[in-house]
Amino acid sequence: MDLTQYYELVESCIRELGVDPVTCRNEPGKWTLKKGSATVWIDLWHIERENRPYYQVMSPVMRIPKDIKLKNLLFEELLAINDKLFGVAFTIYQGWVYLKVIREVDGMDQNEAMAMLHRVGNYADQYDDDLISKYGDDTPPPVNEGGVPPGGGGGKSDV
């Protein structure tokens, strides 16, 4: 599937932020940006089994603590925070807490793509330092390996 028109939409959003998209493009369909102290990933990929492309914006917030008491307190706080968020949610994947929003690209316009990018960036920057100081460490975020289909599964993009 040709995702060129959606790549152009994403890169237009990045330019609107005042950033050259070439400087944050990891490879086709993957971009990495910063919002304050937060790292923000943008992924655009096609899921063959569903025959549709997805747009995902996510931020690796912190590594999940190994201490069970801290882990339980963190999870309780994340659930409470999720209730206050609009259009995004905290999730866990491969030992990390992420803030994430995902949707099919069909029908998405630049305003919606930009709103999703702003939400993840703003919320991640708002909560990351506080959560790390309470529950985690300042381990650098993992590398953006591309879109993860809803429900987990393979982590590689097939664009």
Side-chain angles (χ1 to χ4, degrees):
M1 169 170 258
D2 183 15
L3 299 177
T4 303
Q5 74 182 36
Y6 301 112
Y7 293 163
E8 291 170 0
L9 184 140
V10 169
E11 293 201 347
S12 179
C13 289
I14 294 170
R15 273 192 288 292
E16 191 174 320
L17 294 171
V19 177
D20 179 357
V22 173
T23 65
C24 55
R25 186 186 313 132
N26 304 330
E27 62 183 72
K30 295 188 230 176
W31 299 262
T32 301
L33 301 132
K34 292 291 280 184
K35 169 65 176 175
S37 58
T39 298
V40 178
W41 297 340
I42 303 171
D43 298 308
L44 191 59
W45 80 106
H46 181 258
I47 297 177
E48 284 190 33
R49 74 173 185 265
E50 297 181 16
N51 196 29
R52 70 179 96 196
Y54 284 87
Y55 171 70
Q56 173 177 267
V57 182
M58 62 191 294
S59 177
V61 175
M62 63 174 288
R63 189 185 337 202
I64 297 171
K66 297 197 184 311
D67 179 274
I68 192 71
K69 186 174 181 178
L70 279 178
K71 185 187 296 189
N72 288 339
L73 289 170
L74 170 64
F75 290 170
E76 185 175 333
E77 184 165 354
L78 292 175
L79 285 172
I81 294 170
N82 273 346
D83 185 55
K84 299 174 190 175
L85 302 178
F86 177 74
V88 301
F90 283 103
T91 187
I92 57 171
Y93 179 69
Q94 294 186 341
W96 277 75
V97 172
Y98 293 87
L99 191 65
K100 172 178 155 176
V101 61
I102 186 172
R103 67 152 285 172
E104 296 90 352
V105 297
D106 290 341
M108 181 176 71
D109 65 18
Q110 185 163 334
N111 290 332
E112 185 173 7
M114 187 61 114
M116 293 167 66
L117 183 53
H118 278 299
R119 274 189 214 114
V120 170
N122 289 335
Y123 284 138
D125 189 41
Q126 176 181 346
Y127 288 106
D128 64 347
D129 293 330
D130 184 52
L131 291 170
I132 289 169
S133 72
K134 287 182 186 176
Y135 306 108
D137 57 38
D138 57 358
T139 301
V143 174
N144 182 359
E145 294 184 2
V148 177
K156 296 292 182 189
S157 172
D158 64 347
V159 292

